[in-house]
Amino acid sequence: MVKEIGLVCSFEPGKIKFGEIPLFQYNRSLQEELDSGNISRGELRDLLEQMLMARSLEEMIGEIKMNAYQPLPGFDYVGPTHLSIGQEATSVGAAAGLHPEDYITSSHRGHSDAVAKGCSYIRKLNDKQLRQYLKERAAWLEAIGETFDEKNTREQLEEKGLRMHIYRIIAELFGKKDGYCGGMGGSMHIADFSTGHLGANAIVGGHMGIATGAAVSLRYQGLRRVVVCLAGDGAYNNGIAHESLNMAAMAQFENGLMKEKFGVPIIYGVVNNHYGMSGQFNGEISGIDYVARRAAGYSLRNMYAEVVNGMDVLAVREATGRAAKKAREGKGPILLEYITYRYRGHSLSDPAAYRSKEEVKVWRGCDPIQSLFMKMNQCLVKGQPLITKEEFEGLKQAVQQRNADMAVKAAKSADPEADQLLENMYCDTTSAEVPGESANVELVNSPKPIKRDKEGKINQRFALKEGLIEEMARDKRVVLFGEDVAEYGGAFGVSLGLLEIFGRDRIFNTAISESAIVGAGVGMAMSGLRPIAELMYVDFILMAMDQIGNQAAKWQFMSNRQVKMPLVIRTSTGGGRGYAGQHSQSLESIVTHMPGLKVVAPWDPYDAKGLIKSAIRDDNPVVFFEHQLLYNLKGVVPEEEYLVPIGKAKVRREGKDLTIVSWLHCVGLALEASEKLAEEGIEAEVIDLRTLVPWDEETVIDSVKKTGRCLVVSQAVSQGSYTGEIASTIQARAFDHLDGPVLRLGALNCVSPSSIALEKIYLPDVQAIIGQVKAMF
Ligand SMILES: Cc1ncc(C[n+]2csc(CCOP(=O)(O)OP(=O)(O)O)c2C)c(N)n1
């Protein structure tokens, strides 16, 4: 298919012009805000209270660490101490500018973001929603000695909600079962998906792809909701920041290539506190004054970037609210840079000796809490200040008391149970049933049946394509994206033709951004879709390892299974084509080493189709390997619906003398070798593992018990290979049945050469298998 947008050939001289980026434009007085109905006295009080709540929580952490927190003498807090004291206006103002159902993502320094998002959510629910919210959380209300009472006033209900919210945050920081993540995530990964907090992230910038994917997902689902991605100035220097901003700004979202012209509804919120850990953004580790400048590089309208006074909660609220409105109208992405300051170093172990006292003093002079108090105190309504000094002190004390009460309860509450450790790793569900609305799939064009040869065979490329088509036609939530997957059909043509069937909303090209591709997949999976992210070659997963290993693999666990992760990462793998060191690897051992992922590695077309379908329906993240030498392998593939279960091996050939365990391309080699060995009287049983995680130990162990010998073969270099995991398990479980050591065969421990002559020596082949087997007798 030819691209819809042709290129012009023009070398007309001229100049590229950048638009202006507004700086600190907010200048309304409180009186004006009140008079115009932009904010009420009650809302102002809430903003003040939330900033006090965040500060009180963090001061508590500081005091506990020094054993100076009176309500909890001697309490041992072992978690991180990334305090954001000074930055409260940014968290509270940003949450205040959103609707309750909007999302945020946050960073390692995210306590105040968590406080603010939850408080703002509770305060903004309508009566019915608030009652429902509390009813659904009866167990936690009980934990703090409260009950839901229909007769309670709105004020009482909100107070119960806030108490429970603070309790669950503190319980999470203390690693307790009642914490938002059941003690699995802690300070740096706190998340409450039910109130739109898609998680803090200890990997600086790690959540930016997730936020972007969540926003793409909201756009795709037509939900007029917004994501605010809160990340530090340091994070915005990381590669994932560039990839994410670029992905969100892709023209295809707005220029009519997709069904609706609608920009991705995300606000990139730069929490610019001027420091990474100690590296200073201005004058040291960047060449610019404001991060916002970079927005001009991503979109023709500077992403509607704006620099905001992040010490002024009203300025942040106003700018975020305005940006969110724009984003809801399809005018995203937007970048807001909140200029703020944290009074302390990176953590409590950082004395911040690199800052001058004067600098800290100047910033403390525009403290967000004090500033709002002063504004309210000086604003007279009917001759009375909006808040008196005494009322402010009273509010502070009430906040501290609530905090202390909840901290004491959290400290005494139960630890998570040990069985959670393994139970939280995977969920056991699949999308066996597609919910009504998602099953209502509109096709742009009907798919043409894939022709079989006389024996009913097709090659693996078509088997995979057929699996993808069936699943995309079955469930609207399934989307496929990656580099060159649309018109080109992916580097190996697997998705060729899918664009014509499903249109660009369901299958779209991305920039060359492996991290953001996987990260976006994680965000989509968290927010209602079932994405398939394609990485062209397995070698490129090294570009995306944070997103695969720290995000996709971990969010089910870290969130205490608040979310499922129905993400498939498809990637081609393997050597044998002379593509050399960076396009020929077998990197199974990298992803199999990461608990949280399932790993699938089929050999024949039948399994490839059945397993890709199962992978798409699985609610866990699946890394799906497709071997480059197998795309043209032919096999019988039924046209009627079938699935191949994940985690089940297949005995490809029965034998009594030894077991050969293998997967992907090496299964074929093992079968060929077995036929030759049979001529010499050695009957090998060949097991195609099909799934590497979880692998089918029972089938393998049963076979080894029968044969007494085992060889594990893969194309991966032997050093650190997954073959070792299998061999050691067999040795541990079937030692008494073995007539010799379990051996492994892989590629030589060197880099894959380009020379075909050398690659033949480097990779295991039929002869090598035969040789190794013979040596075992
Ligand atoms: C990818 C990664 N690199 C380094 C770190 C260590 N680290 C933790 S916080 C931090 C500074 C982050 O700076 P910024 O994004 O500006 O946020 P701030 O800490 O100032 O809130 C660093 C380097 C990390 N957690 N993740």
Side-chain angles (χ1 to χ4, degrees):
M1 187 171 150
V2 175
K3 297 256 183 208
E4 288 98 319
I5 298 177
L7 294 181
V8 244
C9 177
S10 166
F11 301 103
E12 192 70 33
K15 283 182 180 164
I16 295 173
K17 295 198 181 100
F18 295 95
E20 292 175 342
I21 294 178
L23 276 178
F24 309 122
Q25 296 290 306
Y26 180 81
N27 63 356
R28 294 215 210 116
S29 71
L30 208 48
Q31 198 66 60
E32 283 172 307
E33 289 284 32
L34 285 167
D35 291 348
S36 62
N38 271 341
I39 199 160
S40 67
R41 185 179 187 160
E43 285 167 323
L44 281 165
R45 188 200 156 282
D46 290 346
L47 296 180
L48 197 54
E49 182 186 30
Q50 285 170 31
M51 290 197 287
L52 285 167
M53 283 168 79
R55 184 162 297 183
S56 160
L57 179 96
E58 295 208 312
E59 283 175 346
M60 173 193 78
I61 294 169
E63 287 170 24
I64 289 179
K65 272 287 184 192
M66 293 189 302
N67 199 10
Y69 188 61
Q70 280 183 352
L72 286 177
F75 182 76
D76 187 19
Y77 172 73
V78 290
T81 54
H82 301 131
L83 308 185
S84 59
I85 296 176
Q87 298 181 185
E88 295 87 352
T90 298
S91 307
V92 172
L98 298 178
H99 295 172
E101 65 277 11
D102 291 332
Y103 293 147
I104 66 158
T105 61
S106 165
S107 76
H108 63 288
R109 198 178 300 287
H111 302 152
S112 17
D113 298 339
V115 169
K117 179 64 174 129
C119 287
S120 158
Y121 182 91
I122 291 164
R123 295 279 197 212
K124 285 180 178 177
L125 293 178
N126 66 31
D127 248 31
K128 195 171 156 214
Q129 291 167 329
L130 179 61
R131 283 168 198 278
Q132 189 59 27
Y133 171 86
L134 291 171
K135 269 192 219 163
E136 284 166 5
R137 290 161 177 79
W140 292 302
L141 277 180
E142 198 187 321
I144 58 169
E146 303 276 3
T147 49
F148 172 74
D149 184 346
E150 284 287 359
K151 288 189 266 25
N152 281 159
T153 62
R154 168 94 201 182
E155 200 182 335
Q156 287 168 324
L157 293 176
E158 284 186 17
E159 176 58 24
K160 285 181 181 177
L162 295 192
R163 287 172 82 76
M164 184 175 62
H165 178 49
I166 284 296
Y167 170 71
R168 295 201 65 203
I169 290 179
I170 298 177
E172 189 56 41
L173 303 192
F174 290 177
K176 298 294 189 170
K177 188 180 172 187
D178 278 348
Y180 272 120
C181 302
M184 302 293 149
S187 158
M188 294 196 287
H189 312 102
I190 194 162
D192 178 15
F193 288 80
S194 70
T195 60
H197 186 341
L198 303 191
N201 219 293
I203 305 298
V204 170
H207 57 96
M208 298 177 80
I210 298 176
T212 306
V216 171
S217 162
L218 293 177
R219 176 196 181 282
Y220 173 76
Q221 295 177 74
L223 301 167
R224 295 300 184 240
R225 287 152 64 179
V226 174
V227 183
V228 175
C229 172
L230 294 164
D233 46 286
Y236 277 85
N237 295 326
N238 205 317
I240 186 71
H242 163 65
E243 292 189 11
S244 301
L245 267 66
N246 186 60
M247 181 178 278
M250 290 192 302
Q252 61 184 323
F253 291 121
E254 295 180 65
N255 63 6
L257 284 185
M258 292 188 178
K259 248 189 292 181
E260 194 183 5
K261 294 183 181 181
F262 196 91
V264 175
I266 186 164
I267 301 168
Y268 291 102
V270 189
V271 185
N272 185 349
N273 61 20
H274 308 275
Y275 291 97
M277 261 175 75
S278 67
Q280 208 170 28
F281 188 85
N282 300 105
E284 187 185 8
I285 54 137
S286 88
I288 52 175
D289 44 5
Y290 295 102
V291 180
R293 263 186 197 278
R294 296 192 180 145
Y298 294 104
S299 106
L300 295 176
R301 48 170 193 241
N302 296 347
M303 280 193 165
Y304 293 114
E306 203 172 318
V307 183
V308 182
N309 178 354
M311 303 297 272
D312 179 351
V313 70
L314 295 175
V316 175
R317 176 182 176 271
E318 189 275 336
T320 311
R322 196 159 31 82
K325 182 169 179 292
K326 262 201 177 88
R328 265 180 251 289
E329 291 163 358
K331 293 181 184 147
I334 292 160
L335 187 144
L336 293 181
E337 181 170 1
Y338 308 116
I339 301 297
T340 181
Y341 195 81
R342 61 176 150 80
Y343 300 159
R344 304 218 186 181
H346 166 66
S347 67
L348 290 182
S349 47
D350 170 10
Y354 45 86
R355 304 175 182 199
S356 71
K357 288 200 172 75
E358 292 70 38
E359 178 185 300
V360 180
K361 197 171 158 207
V362 170
W363 283 93
R364 277 186 183 273
C366 49
D367 181 77
I369 297 177
Q370 197 58 24
S371 305
L372 181 61
F373 160 64
M374 294 296 282
K375 271 191 188 172
M376 288 174 70
N377 184 251
Q378 284 159 14
C379 179
L380 304 182
V381 174
K382 294 186 186 149
Q384 289 298 312
L386 283 179
I387 192 167
T388 64
K389 195 162 183 322
E390 295 68 38
E391 284 165 338
F392 179 51
E393 287 307 321
L395 182 63
K396 236 198 246 179
Q397 269 173 23
V399 162
Q400 278 163 4
Q401 190 58 52
R402 183 204 283 138
N403 193 88
D405 293 348
M406 294 304 105
V408 170
K409 285 193 192 304
K412 285 189 193 148
S413 69
D415 290 328
E417 281 121 35
D419 52 14
Q420 288 302 107
L421 282 174
L422 293 179
E423 269 177 25
N424 270 346
M425 287 311 305
Y426 296 94
C427 60
D428 54 10
T429 55
T430 65
S431 70
E433 299 293 326
V434 181
E437 171 49 21
S438 301
N440 189 12
V441 176
E442 282 170 36
L443 300 178
V444 178
N445 289 296
S446 299
K448 293 193 187 83
I450 293 175
K451 276 204 193 124
R452 270 71 182 160
D453 67 11
K454 278 186 229 133
E455 293 165 302
K457 288 182 178 173
I458 52 174
N459 67 25
Q460 178 132 202
R461 175 180 292 105
F462 284 102
L464 286 164
K465 189 201 298 274
E466 198 167 74
L468 293 173
I469 292 173
E470 284 179 14
E471 291 307 300
M472 290 178 78
R474 171 183 185 263
D475 188 342
K476 206 157 63 178
R477 298 169 298 176
V478 181
V479 294
L480 169 62
F481 59 97
E483 293 154 24
D484 309 298
V485 295
E487 293 90 346
Y488 199 86
F492 299 93
V494 172
S495 55
L496 193 65
L498 268 63
L499 181 61
E500 286 86 336
I501 301 169
F502 297 105
R504 210 175 285 273
D505 289 86
R506 304 279 311 275
I507 169 163
F508 58 90
N509 289 332
T510 65
I512 303 158
S513 303
E514 284 77 11
S515 286
I517 291 168
V518 179
V522 175
M524 290 182 198
M526 279 180 176
S527 58
L529 299 188
R530 307 188 71 82
I532 307 167
E534 182 178 312
L535 298 180
M536 206 181 267
Y537 279 71
V538 74
D539 312 75
F540 314 155
I541 68 167
L542 299 179
M543 304 285 293
M545 270 333 292
D546 170 47
Q547 298 303 322
I548 298 173
N550 284 321
Q551 314 299 343
K554 295 201 172 96
W555 269 108
Q556 292 199 93
F557 181 93
M558 293 197 302
S559 71
N560 203 24
R561 283 211 265 157
Q562 291 177 64
V563 275
K564 294 180 177 176
M565 189 58 63
L567 165 68
V568 179
I569 301 167
R570 282 182 49 230
T571 186
S572 79
T573 183
R577 304 191 318 141
Y579 271 36
Q582 297 170 347
H583 275 64
S584 312
Q585 297 174 86
S586 292
L587 298 177
E588 298 91 282
S589 61
I590 292 184
V591 285
T592 50
H593 187 57
M594 287 165 169
L597 302 171
K598 289 189 176 181
V599 181
V600 173
W603 171 60
D604 75 355
Y606 178 92
D607 283 350
K609 179 179 170 187
L611 279 164
I612 191 70
K613 285 166 68 73
S614 293
I616 293 168
R617 293 187 198 187
D618 203 293
D619 283 335
N620 297 285
V622 181
V623 177
F624 192 94
F625 286 114
E626 301 167 11
H627 199 287
Q628 287 158 29
L629 296 182
L630 298 177
Y631 281 123
N632 288 329
L633 180 74
K634 278 188 145 190
V636 175
V637 176
E639 281 174 77
E640 50 283 358
E641 165 86 6
Y642 71 93
L643 296 171
V644 172
I646 290 177
K648 196 83 200 86
K650 189 166 181 173
V651 179
R652 293 276 176 192
R653 182 185 195 282
E654 294 198 8
K656 59 177 179 25
D657 298 325
L658 97 152
T659 305
I660 302 178
V661 178
S662 193
W663 56 90
L664 291 166
H665 177 62
C666 287
V667 173
L669 301 185
L671 286 170
E672 222 181 304
S674 308
E675 293 310 315
K676 297 211 164 109
L677 285 163
E679 290 165 14
E680 300 185 38
I682 299 173
E683 290 297 338
E685 179 143 302
V686 177
I687 298 182
D688 175 359
L689 219 44
R690 304 199 290 188
T691 300
L692 304 184
V693 179
W695 67 281
D696 186 352
E697 288 186 32
E698 298 320 310
T699 299
V700 173
I701 298 292
D702 286 352
S703 171
V704 174
K705 281 183 180 170
K706 183 176 74 175
T707 62
R709 287 185 176 82
C710 184
L711 174 68
V712 191
V713 188
S714 96
Q715 263 199 348
V717 292
S718 294
Q719 182 181 323
S721 165
Y722 195 58
T723 51
E725 172 74 14
I726 293 161
S728 74
T729 307
I730 297 169
Q731 248 128 211
R733 286 193 58 189
F735 187 73
D736 291 342
H737 301 266
L738 286 172
D739 296 326
V742 179
L743 294 187
R744 308 185 292 135
L745 183 64
L748 298 182
N749 287 329
C750 64
V751 176
S752 177
S754 174
S755 153
I756 283 288
L758 291 188
E759 198 184 26
K760 283 201 169 100
I761 297 168
Y762 163 78
L763 289 173
D765 61 8
V766 174
Q767 274 317 314
I769 296 174
I770 293 172
Q772 188 68 272
V773 168
K774 284 189 181 168
M776 294 167 78
F777 288 89

